[in-house]
Amino acid sequence: MRLLSVENVSVRYGKIAAVRNLRMHVDNGEIVTLIGGNGAGKSTTMKTISGLLKHYEGAIEFDGQSINQVPGHKRVRRGIVHVPEGREVFGPLTVEENLLMGAYLQNDKREIKEGKEKVFHLFPRLKERIHQQAGTLSGGEQQMLAIGRALMAKPRLLMLDEPSLGLSPLIVQEIFVIIEALNLDGTTTLLVEQNARLGLSISSRGYVMETGSILLGGDSKALLQDERVQKAYLGA
């Protein structure tokens, strides 16, 4: 069943076209990876889907309904939750306070408690640092916290923008194991990832962006074998 549909969407920064005639979709239960070089339009795509940017052409549907006119904060209510590039945790707040910020739409104390327990199960290090200020955490711990905060909002579509950026290989592997575990638990994920091989290896489908448009799309295994992808993104 289709969860997200993006049809012929175009986005501008002033007079500059950042994304042109974008077409892509994400089905329930999938991990879909979006790869491409710097400036290809990947982050712009994520921000447009989450409502941080407005598009001037095309249509975005979520769960069969248009969200073209739905502001970003209301898209969160519908289940679209975006973890932006650079983590952007609330530095002066503690780990626990950051997680509670992710649950600001919830009123059920039991569900909030269960949400925290789930996050601490996935990321035991966060439980160890529950009262520590987020700004004093390592980069990997901040990324874990950013994902954990997003999970507190109970996402139907979890959008992760460059979760491996600037992290050590061991931490990256740990985070990607968690992304796969979340998917097995039913979380649909749209992933932007600089490490094309890693991103495609855990996803069912992928898209390749160049200069604001989709160049290729299809089964992730097929994309990993595609000569153009290998030469441009896999170092072959």
Side-chain angles (χ1 to χ4, degrees), residues 8 10 19 33 42 53 62 77 81 89 97 115 139 152 154 165 172 178 185 211 214 221 224:
N8 300 316
S10 298
V19 169
T33 295
K42 306 183 302 297
L53 292 175
F62 185 71
R77 290 182 182 274
V81 183
V89 297
E97 288 167 339
M152 293 293 292
K154 295 189 172 181
L165 189 64
V172 170
I178 295 298
D185 197 38
T211 60
I214 297 294
K221 291 181 180 179
L224 283 168

Side-chain angles (χ1 to χ4, degrees), residues 212-225:
S213 300
I214 297 294
L215 177 66
L216 295 169
D219 179 81
S220 292
K221 291 181 180 179
L223 289 175
L224 283 168
Q225 299 303 316

Side-chain angles (χ1 to χ4, degrees), residues 114-125:
E114 290 175 353
K116 282 198 298 181
E117 289 173 351
K118 178 179 179 180
V119 170
F120 290 147
H121 175 73
L122 291 168
F123 302 111
R125 236 173 299 183

Side-chain angles (χ1 to χ4, degrees), residues 9-88:
V9 163
S10 298
V11 183
R12 287 178 179 154
Y13 289 113
K15 294 183 178 180
I16 300 173
V19 169
R20 296 182 297 276
N21 300 317
L22 184 72
R23 298 187 67 187
M24 60 183 294
H25 70 273
V26 180
D27 292 336
N28 263 312
E30 284 191 307
I31 297 177
V32 173
T33 295
L34 185 60
I35 66 171
N38 290 334
K42 306 183 302 297
S43 291
T44 297
T45 296
M46 300 284 263
K47 290 176 182 177
T48 304
I49 293 169
S50 66
L52 295 177
L53 292 175
K54 291 185 177 180
H55 58 286
Y56 68 92
E57 286 182 345
I60 303 176
E61 291 189 353
F62 185 71
D63 201 17
Q65 295 184 329
S66 172
I67 57 172
N68 282 4
Q69 304 303 319
V70 178
H73 66 283
K74 290 188 177 179
R75 294 187 191 191
V76 176
R77 290 182 182 274
R78 296 194 182 198
I80 300 174
V81 183
H82 181 189
V83 180
E85 180 183 349
R87 299 177 280 275
E88 296 188 13

Side-chain angles (χ1 to χ4, degrees), residues 158-231:
L158 178 63
M159 301 201 305
L160 302 173
D161 192 351
E162 302 282 17
S164 74
L165 189 64
L167 303 182
S168 71
L170 284 176
I171 296 296
V172 170
Q173 290 295 332
E174 185 176 345
I175 286 174
F176 271 72
V177 167
I178 295 298
I179 294 171
E180 288 186 285
L182 289 170
N183 180 249
L184 289 173
D185 197 38
T187 301
T188 304
T189 303
L190 176 59
L191 172 68
V192 165
E193 180 48 49
Q194 60 171 353
N195 186 329
R197 189 181 302 278
L198 181 58
L200 290 173
S201 71
I202 70 164
S203 60
S204 52
R205 290 188 305 107
Y207 293 96
V208 181
M209 283 195 82
E210 282 192 4
T211 60
S213 300
I214 297 294
L215 177 66
L216 295 169
D219 179 81
S220 292
K221 291 181 180 179
L223 289 175
L224 283 168
Q225 299 303 316
D226 189 283
E227 186 176 345
R228 291 165 292 181
V229 175
Q230 290 183 348
K231 286 183 176 180

